[in-house]
Amino acid sequence: MRALFILIALFLSCAVQAERIKDMGQFEGLRANQLTGYGVVVGLAGTGDDSLDYATQGVKGAISRFGVNLPAGINPALKNAAAVVITAELPPFAKPGQRLDVTVSALGKAKSLRGGTLVMAPLYGADGQIYAMAQGNLVVGGLGVDAADGSKLSVNIPSAGRIGSGATVERSVDTGFANSPHLMFNLAQQDISNAGLVADAINRQLGGNIAQAVDGASIRINAPVGGEARIRMMGIIENIEIKKAQPPARVIVNARTGTVVINGAVRVGPAAVSHGKLTVKVDENPTVVQPAPFSRGQTALEPSSDIAIQENTNPAYLWDKGASLSDIVKAINKLNVSPGDLVAILEALSQAGALSAELVVI
């Protein structure tokens, strides 16, 4: 089998491009909140789940709102309905009356939600409170078809769909940022150097010593009390541009996909690398052996194996001191190695002390 080799080299030059602070992280408390709910989708063309008890209970509960009560022991045969789980994301500062997109996924054995309509269902937050109500017609990108002989054809996932602006916000979340003693800005990737650079840039832009780096991920900012004043300050801070510090030297190896990522901070010391390749080929050619006439023997299968070994010898490649990322890529291309062999070479360089980088295998 031919090995799949993917090498992604991210070359970071010494002249680092300026980046906005808003692209490096976010203010504490200004985050989205996950909402979930349980509901019933109706109007399906016989692709629902008719034997699911909680789907039956859900439909009974939905129609009971309109004064229709089914007698005990009556199964409404719900092949045109399905029990679903509803998920949505409540953004910060969302106010009652605003609309949210929702995702609807089948909970049981429903084959497809295409053409279905979600009956009004509440969406709950982690605190158990209702924050939105969802209802609407589903848009399903998948398609599933079953034939009479048992053959099936499925395109994408027909048991999940989406309702654009399908939920209405009923309750807002108090972020508390307007009256908190200070603002906290959290970096998406912690880095002590970047935390200091962000704090210095804020102090230069706004004056004084209002920003202090608390640790490698957080910057505390003294801010005036009141929502309007803080919003204006946050808008100014988010658009400040800084030159980020060079990231730590890392080589990331994904052992499952064979992807290797090398950043531009990686340097290689003086080293000579020679990589040989050993190929073992085994051919099985079994032979059918027939017994002699009238010998009352049985036909047998006699194994026959041919084993061949081939070793390819590659010349050694010399890395000079402080070899850059481009030099590393050129050497790898000359060695013509697979992802597994590349990882072995990088590990050997690390053990030899010639690789000035952290080797991370994910």
Side-chain angles (χ1 to χ4, degrees), residues 16-27:
V16 181
Q17 298 295 325
E19 187 170 347
R20 296 180 303 175
I21 290 180
K22 71 185 304 181
D23 299 324
M24 299 175 61
Q26 63 180 8
F27 285 95

Side-chain angles (χ1 to χ4, degrees), residues 16-49:
V16 181
Q17 298 295 325
E19 187 170 347
R20 296 180 303 175
I21 290 180
K22 71 185 304 181
D23 299 324
M24 299 175 61
Q26 63 180 8
F27 285 95
E28 187 177 276
L30 306 186
R31 64 178 183 86
N33 292 273
Q34 284 71 39
L35 305 179
T36 58
Y38 166 81
V40 175
V41 171
V42 298
L44 304 177
T47 57
D49 32 31

Side-chain angles (χ1 to χ4, degrees), residues 91-116:
F93 306 119
K95 297 298 186 292
Q98 292 182 330
R99 310 287 293 185
L100 305 175
D101 296 339
V102 298
T103 300
V104 181
S105 305
L107 187 61
K109 295 183 179 180
K111 298 178 181 179
S112 175
L113 299 181
R114 180 178 289 273

Side-chain angles (χ1 to χ4, degrees), residues 36-40 52-59 65 82-87 105 107 118-124:
T36 58
Y38 166 81
V40 175
L52 207 56
D53 290 340
Y54 41 86
T56 303
Q57 294 177 8
V59 170
R65 303 174 191 169
V84 295
V85 171
I86 312 160
T87 57
S105 305
L107 187 61
L118 175 67
V119 181
M120 184 173 61
L123 300 181
Y124 297 87

